[in-house]
Amino acid sequence: MRDGSSVESRLCRVEWQNRLSLCEFRHAMVHAAILTLDECYASSAGGFADILQVANAHLRRQQGAAAVQFAWRFVSLAGKPVTASNGLQLQTHALAPHERYDLVFIPSLHYGGRRRFEQILDRQAGACAWLLAQWQAGAWIAANCTGTFILAQTGLLDGRTATTTWWLERQFRARYPDVDLQLRPVITESDRMLCAGASASYLLQAIRIVERFAGQAIAAQTAKSLLIDVSQTSQVPYLPLLAERMHSDSLVQRAQHWLQSNMTRELRISELAAALATSERTLIRRFRAALDQAPLAYVQDLRLEAARALLETGDQGIDAIAGQVGYRDTSSFSRLFRQRIGMSPGAYRNRFQVNSAP
């Protein structure tokens, strides 16, 4: 009896120890779910996991095998293979209602036009309910580029700061008017939610996640290993000043054409109005209604966009470029450029100049 009891006791202890080991293993991991949807970008979904993998290598090297590391799963509502936008098949695990993660990442989705994209969003009720439950249970949620629309669809971003890809600003604002959308930062953080701009910003977003869970030193080492420039904190240098705005006002169309042809001259509204045979008041009113800005502000943006092109492709000095786009005072041009673009003309050239082949 005692022997039997002893064996049974030993077996119970072993089983209990195994359970403890499993619990300790799970506790020693940062568990991440990568929410994969049909037509997501494989680079965004897989690249995020790749950065976590590199972070794990640095964690083991710095802290040993017992280091708290990242573990991840590609998950989907049904647990079936998901087809990425480039045709790659991604194997996924089904969303388990009672399984909790420390982190959920929503990759960017291919944008195939407004109607098609909104149809995709309207089919995400199940995923949105799961995201809401994960956040309420304490998970961090990171959404990249068009993936921010999925996060906004949950209602969690209402009244909170977020960002998204710059070229879908109007669609985002129209669909989610209660979100405090900010396009200047590459990444926003609010109440355990991280949003990032256009698709490649997942690189910076993943580094921010590594820093959040593994510390600044590991994040810096991971970024250096992968040549990720963490100094890129603003979307402003990438934003076009002349956003495409469709309108059918023939007077404004004629005004735009005239301004484009005469932007290097010293312009006055009275001269433009006379050229179009209309009053200044009517011109300004209709210009604002069609393009949401005054004619002279439009000229300013035309000039700065032209300066950008010259800085990216040519080797002229700043003085020459200022004069070529209609500014006589180089200091005024440089001040305006910094104000609107977010960096000096020289810094812009250093970052964006296209070097010609030797």
Side-chain angles (χ1 to χ4, degrees), residues 22 61 145 207 284 296 313 324 343:
L22 181 58
R61 187 174 297 112
C145 189
I207 295 299
I284 293 172
L296 292 184
T313 59
Q324 192 169 335
M343 60 177 63

Side-chain angles (χ1 to χ4, degrees), residues 86-297:
N86 61 2
L88 187 67
Q89 289 277 311
L90 303 174
Q91 300 299 317
T92 69
H93 294 269
L95 299 180
H98 303 297
E99 188 166 13
R100 295 291 174 253
Y101 291 91
D102 303 300
L103 165 67
V104 178
F105 177 64
I106 309 170
S108 55
L109 308 171
H110 175 67
Y111 186 84
R114 181 166 190 151
R115 182 177 179 182
R116 180 176 177 82
F117 185 60
E118 293 196 343
Q119 288 174 343
I120 292 174
L121 295 176
D122 291 338
R123 293 198 299 265
Q124 304 308 320
C128 287
W130 179 81
L131 286 167
L132 181 60
Q134 291 295 321
W135 183 82
Q136 290 173 337
W140 283 72
I141 300 180
N144 173 241
C145 189
T146 43
T148 58
F149 282 72
I150 301 290
L151 181 53
Q153 192 84 354
T154 66
L156 285 171
L157 291 178
D158 288 355
R160 296 184 170 98
T161 301
T163 193
T164 191
T165 181
W166 59 265
W167 52 275
L168 288 178
E169 174 190 6
R170 287 193 162 195
Q171 187 169 344
F172 191 101
R173 291 189 188 279
R175 190 174 177 98
Y176 310 111
D178 295 328
V179 178
D180 178 19
L181 184 66
Q182 301 290 331
L183 288 186
R184 294 185 70 88
V186 174
I187 296 173
T188 59
E189 179 178 329
S190 180
D191 293 333
R192 289 184 284 108
M193 288 179 286
L194 289 167
C195 295
S199 186
S201 61
Y202 80 84
L203 297 165
L204 295 170
Q205 194 174 28
I207 295 299
R208 179 75 68 87
I209 289 292
V210 171
E211 181 179 4
R212 172 64 59 182
F213 286 95
Q216 187 175 13
I218 296 297
Q221 291 168 354
T222 302
K224 288 177 181 177
S225 298
L226 297 169
L227 296 182
I228 297 174
D229 180 7
V230 295
S231 68
Q232 182 186 324
T233 59
S234 174
Q235 294 191 78
V236 173
Y238 300 86
L239 304 183
L241 298 176
L242 297 170
E244 292 186 14
R245 292 187 173 94
M246 303 301 294
H247 67 86
S248 57
D249 191 319
S250 60
L251 175 65
V252 176
Q253 289 171 350
R254 288 190 294 123
Q256 286 178 275
H257 180 73
W258 192 92
L259 290 170
Q260 289 163 9
S261 301
N262 295 275
M263 71 172 184
T264 60
R265 295 169 45 196
E266 186 174 347
L267 300 174
R268 299 181 185 278
I269 289 293
S270 57
E271 182 184 7
L272 174 59
L276 299 174
T278 188
S279 69
E280 293 180 41
R281 185 175 179 180
T282 296
L283 176 62
I284 293 172
R285 176 178 55 81
R286 289 175 62 173
F287 212 95
R288 284 190 180 280
L291 298 177
D292 196 28
Q293 64 180 160
L296 292 184

Side-chain angles (χ1 to χ4, degrees), residues 12-48:
C12 286
R13 283 199 301 272
V14 169
E15 183 179 357
W16 180 246
Q17 288 169 352
N18 287 339
R19 289 180 181 178
L20 282 176
S21 297
L22 181 58
C23 290
E24 289 168 357
F25 172 76
R26 288 192 59 82
H27 183 70
M29 288 286 183
V30 175
H31 288 271
I34 299 172
L35 181 61
T36 48
L37 304 168
D38 282 325
E39 298 190 46
C40 70
Y41 280 111
S43 58
S44 179
F48 187 85

